[in-house]
Amino acid sequence: MVNDVKEMIRRRFGGLSLDNRGSALVSVVAVAIFLSVIATTILYISGKNYQIKANDYQNKNTFYQAEMALDELKGALAADVSDAFRFAYEEVMPEFANLDNGDNRNKDFKNYYFDYLFYKWTGATKYDTDIPGDVVTHVAPGDESLYDTVSNFASSLPDFNTCFIKYTKEEAIALGDEAMCIAWDENKPGRFIIKNVRVWCTENGYTSYICTDIALDPPSYYMGVTKPPAGGTPGPQDTEKEKLYMGDYILYMNWHKY
């Protein structure tokens, strides 16, 4: 019986045989499709990474150019700091003997220093200091805005003038931001502040904005002891001369990028 079944199957299907021709081609096509998918994915990811790096480069480029404009203004302000230091020093020294307390000398020095800067930028004083008539202010003729004063001061600074943002008071209010102004720090005697200095830079469709306050601090120059005690010898603090770098006293405060 079993043999009869086998014989029947052999007769019915005996003429059929497996044909493996073309299987290799199918395998190659499948592998090619798989590799194409992987290659496409890698190219897509690489393209995205390149785009991200290109965007980051452009953002950094505009940011550094805007920051360079601020540094240019900071460098120009060093001349004001130096002039204010010299003026304050020359005002205090004639009264050095009368002001026998070093703290009083230092207080007067900082007041003179601040008033000189305040006068340069506003044409007025806060401590009623008598500013020499030959001191020229930065205030533009007929000026009613600190923006014009800054522009007048920075007229020879190409990078800053290119990046400097001038808002009217109304525009500043509409943007929810403060207008530029001159201020002082009650907790830091002698500190003169130009508030809300804004710069921007746009290139290739990318824009960076920076807003900061620029503080001009009085140099750390303490007018204390003038000579060693009788019969004594000068100590290191009396003989060593510390160099003053005016740029060290020009500080960014409340700096932010937006």
Side-chain angles (χ1 to χ4, degrees), residues 42-56:
I42 292 174
L43 288 174
Y44 176 79
I45 295 174
S46 298
K48 279 293 184 182
N49 287 337
Y50 175 79
Q51 186 178 10
I52 292 172
K53 289 182 179 179
N55 291 343
D56 183 60

PDB file of all heavy atoms in Angstrom, residues 42-56:
ATOM      1  N   ILE A  42      22.873  57.593   6.175  1.00  0.00           N
ATOM      2  CA  ILE A  42      24.146  58.220   6.562  1.00  0.00           C
ATOM      3  C   ILE A  42      24.281  59.594   5.911  1.00  0.00           C
ATOM      4  O   ILE A  42      24.694  60.566   6.556  1.00  0.00           O
ATOM      5  CB  ILE A  42      25.327  57.313   6.169  1.00  0.00           C
ATOM      6  CG1 ILE A  42      25.318  56.033   7.012  1.00  0.00           C
ATOM      7  CG2 ILE A  42      26.652  58.046   6.334  1.00  0.00           C
ATOM      8  CD1 ILE A  42      26.360  55.016   6.611  1.00  0.00           C
ATOM      9  N   LEU A  43      23.943  59.690   4.626  1.00  0.00           N
ATOM     10  CA  LEU A  43      24.023  60.975   3.928  1.00  0.00           C
ATOM     11  C   LEU A  43      23.067  61.999   4.543  1.00  0.00           C
ATOM     12  O   LEU A  43      23.410  63.179   4.681  1.00  0.00           O
ATOM     13  CB  LEU A  43      23.707  60.783   2.439  1.00  0.00           C
ATOM     14  CG  LEU A  43      24.776  60.076   1.605  1.00  0.00           C
ATOM     15  CD1 LEU A  43      24.270  59.819   0.187  1.00  0.00           C
ATOM     16  CD2 LEU A  43      26.060  60.894   1.569  1.00  0.00           C
ATOM     17  N   TYR A  44      21.877  61.558   4.930  1.00  0.00           N
ATOM     18  CA  TYR A  44      20.897  62.459   5.544  1.00  0.00           C
ATOM     19  C   TYR A  44      21.415  62.993   6.872  1.00  0.00           C
ATOM     20  O   TYR A  44      21.355  64.198   7.152  1.00  0.00           O
ATOM     21  CB  TYR A  44      19.577  61.720   5.746  1.00  0.00           C
ATOM     22  CG  TYR A  44      18.533  62.535   6.472  1.00  0.00           C
ATOM     23  CD1 TYR A  44      17.807  63.512   5.801  1.00  0.00           C
ATOM     24  CD2 TYR A  44      18.290  62.320   7.830  1.00  0.00           C
ATOM     25  CE1 TYR A  44      16.850  64.265   6.474  1.00  0.00           C
ATOM     26  CE2 TYR A  44      17.334  63.066   8.504  1.00  0.00           C
ATOM     27  CZ  TYR A  44      16.618  64.036   7.822  1.00  0.00           C
ATOM     28  OH  TYR A  44      15.687  64.775   8.494  1.00  0.00           O
ATOM     29  N   ILE A  45      21.946  62.060   7.684  1.00  0.00           N
ATOM     30  CA  ILE A  45      22.475  62.475   8.996  1.00  0.00           C
ATOM     31  C   ILE A  45      23.674  63.403   8.816  1.00  0.00           C
ATOM     32  O   ILE A  45      23.811  64.420   9.511  1.00  0.00           O
ATOM     33  CB  ILE A  45      22.865  61.240   9.828  1.00  0.00           C
ATOM     34  CG1 ILE A  45      21.615  60.415  10.168  1.00  0.00           C
ATOM     35  CG2 ILE A  45      23.595  61.651  11.105  1.00  0.00           C
ATOM     36  CD1 ILE A  45      21.912  59.098  10.858  1.00  0.00           C
ATOM     37  N   SER A  46      24.549  63.072   7.854  1.00  0.00           N
ATOM     38  CA  SER A  46      25.725  63.910   7.601  1.00  0.00           C
ATOM     39  C   SER A  46      25.303  65.300   7.134  1.00  0.00           C
ATOM     40  O   SER A  46      25.875  66.314   7.542  1.00  0.00           O
ATOM     41  CB  SER A  46      26.619  63.253   6.545  1.00  0.00           C
ATOM     42  OG  SER A  46      27.099  62.007   6.987  1.00  0.00           O
ATOM     43  N   GLY A  47      24.287  65.332   6.259  1.00  0.00           N
ATOM     44  CA  GLY A  47      23.790  66.619   5.783  1.00  0.00           C
ATOM     45  C   GLY A  47      23.215  67.459   6.905  1.00  0.00           C
ATOM     46  O   GLY A  47      23.441  68.672   6.968  1.00  0.00           O
ATOM     47  N   LYS A  48      22.474  66.817   7.807  1.00  0.00           N
ATOM     48  CA  LYS A  48      21.912  67.535   8.950  1.00  0.00           C
ATOM     49  C   LYS A  48      23.013  68.074   9.854  1.00  0.00           C
ATOM     50  O   LYS A  48      22.953  69.204  10.336  1.00  0.00           O
ATOM     51  CB  LYS A  48      20.988  66.605   9.740  1.00  0.00           C
ATOM     52  CG  LYS A  48      19.599  66.448   9.158  1.00  0.00           C
ATOM     53  CD  LYS A  48      18.828  67.749   9.239  1.00  0.00           C
ATOM     54  CE  LYS A  48      17.409  67.610   8.751  1.00  0.00           C
ATOM     55  NZ  LYS A  48      16.672  68.895   8.794  1.00  0.00           N
ATOM     56  N   ASN A  49      24.037  67.234  10.105  1.00  0.00           N
ATOM     57  CA  ASN A  49      25.151  67.671  10.943  1.00  0.00           C
ATOM     58  C   ASN A  49      25.878  68.843  10.315  1.00  0.00           C
ATOM     59  O   ASN A  49      26.277  69.800  10.996  1.00  0.00           O
ATOM     60  CB  ASN A  49      26.128  66.516  11.172  1.00  0.00           C
ATOM     61  CG  ASN A  49      25.590  65.468  12.124  1.00  0.00           C
ATOM     62  OD1 ASN A  49      24.714  65.766  12.934  1.00  0.00           O
ATOM     63  ND2 ASN A  49      26.096  64.251  12.040  1.00  0.00           N
ATOM     64  N   TYR A  50      26.062  68.792   9.011  1.00  0.00           N
ATOM     65  CA  TYR A  50      26.729  69.891   8.307  1.00  0.00           C
ATOM     66  C   TYR A  50      25.898  71.170   8.413  1.00  0.00           C
ATOM     67  O   TYR A  50      26.444  72.255   8.652  1.00  0.00           O
ATOM     68  CB  TYR A  50      26.937  69.532   6.837  1.00  0.00           C
ATOM     69  CG  TYR A  50      27.508  70.672   6.016  1.00  0.00           C
ATOM     70  CD1 TYR A  50      28.870  70.965   6.062  1.00  0.00           C
ATOM     71  CD2 TYR A  50      26.676  71.466   5.228  1.00  0.00           C
ATOM     72  CE1 TYR A  50      29.394  72.018   5.335  1.00  0.00           C
ATOM     73  CE2 TYR A  50      27.190  72.519   4.501  1.00  0.00           C
ATOM     74  CZ  TYR A  50      28.544  72.793   4.550  1.00  0.00           C
ATOM     75  OH  TYR A  50      29.055  73.839   3.833  1.00  0.00           O
ATOM     76  N   GLN A  51      24.577  71.023   8.254  1.00  0.00           N
ATOM     77  CA  GLN A  51      23.704  72.186   8.346  1.00  0.00           C
ATOM     78  C   GLN A  51      23.740  72.789   9.750  1.00  0.00           C
ATOM     79  O   GLN A  51      23.774  74.002   9.914  1.00  0.00           O
ATOM     80  CB  GLN A  51      22.274  71.795   7.981  1.00  0.00           C
ATOM     81  CG  GLN A  51      21.310  72.978   7.915  1.00  0.00           C
ATOM     82  CD  GLN A  51      19.920  72.557   7.498  1.00  0.00           C
ATOM     83  OE1 GLN A  51      19.621  71.367   7.424  1.00  0.00           O
ATOM     84  NE2 GLN A  51      19.069  73.525   7.218  1.00  0.00           N
ATOM     85  N   ILE A  52      23.730  71.915  10.754  1.00  0.00           N
ATOM     86  CA  ILE A  52      23.802  72.392  12.140  1.00  0.00           C
ATOM     87  C   ILE A  52      25.114  73.134  12.387  1.00  0.00           C
ATOM     88  O   ILE A  52      25.140  74.206  13.000  1.00  0.00           O
ATOM     89  CB  ILE A  52      23.656  71.213  13.121  1.00  0.00           C
ATOM     90  CG1 ILE A  52      22.235  70.641  13.059  1.00  0.00           C
ATOM     91  CG2 ILE A  52      23.997  71.637  14.546  1.00  0.00           C
ATOM     92  CD1 ILE A  52      22.050  69.360  13.841  1.00  0.00           C
ATOM     93  N   LYS A  53      26.230  72.563  11.895  1.00  0.00           N
ATOM     94  CA  LYS A  53      27.530  73.209  12.073  1.00  0.00           C
ATOM     95  C   LYS A  53      27.597  74.533  11.315  1.00  0.00           C
ATOM     96  O   LYS A  53      28.172  75.511  11.802  1.00  0.00           O
ATOM     97  CB  LYS A  53      28.645  72.267  11.609  1.00  0.00           C
ATOM     98  CG  LYS A  53      28.871  71.076  12.534  1.00  0.00           C
ATOM     99  CD  LYS A  53      30.014  70.196  12.056  1.00  0.00           C
ATOM    100  CE  LYS A  53      30.248  69.027  13.008  1.00  0.00           C
ATOM    101  NZ  LYS A  53      31.351  68.141  12.559  1.00  0.00           N
ATOM    102  N   ALA A  54      27.012  74.550  10.108  1.00  0.00           N
ATOM    103  CA  ALA A  54      27.004  75.788   9.321  1.00  0.00           C
ATOM    104  C   ALA A  54      26.186  76.866  10.030  1.00  0.00           C
ATOM    105  O   ALA A  54      26.601  78.040  10.102  1.00  0.00           O
ATOM    106  CB  ALA A  54      26.438  75.521   7.926  1.00  0.00           C
ATOM    107  N   ASN A  55      25.030  76.479  10.594  1.00  0.00           N
ATOM    108  CA  ASN A  55      24.206  77.432  11.338  1.00  0.00           C
ATOM    109  C   ASN A  55      24.941  77.946  12.564  1.00  0.00           C
ATOM    110  O   ASN A  55      24.907  79.143  12.883  1.00  0.00           O
ATOM    111  CB  ASN A  55      22.886  76.773  11.763  1.00  0.00           C
ATOM    112  CG  ASN A  55      21.973  76.490  10.588  1.00  0.00           C
ATOM    113  OD1 ASN A  55      22.146  77.045   9.507  1.00  0.00           O
ATOM    114  ND2 ASN A  55      21.008  75.611  10.794  1.00  0.00           N
ATOM    115  N   ASP A  56      25.606  77.015  13.265  1.00  0.00           N
ATOM    116  CA  ASP A  56      26.366  77.397  14.465  1.00  0.00           C
ATOM    117  C   ASP A  56      27.501  78.356  14.101  1.00  0.00           C
ATOM    118  O   ASP A  56      27.748  79.337  14.807  1.00  0.00           O
ATOM    119  CB  ASP A  56      26.928  76.139  15.129  1.00  0.00           C
ATOM    120  CG  ASP A  56      27.658  76.444  16.425  1.00  0.00           C
ATOM    121  OD1 ASP A  56      27.020  76.980  17.348  1.00  0.00           O
ATOM    122  OD2 ASP A  56      28.864  76.154  16.508  1.00  0.00           O
TER     123      ASP A  56
END
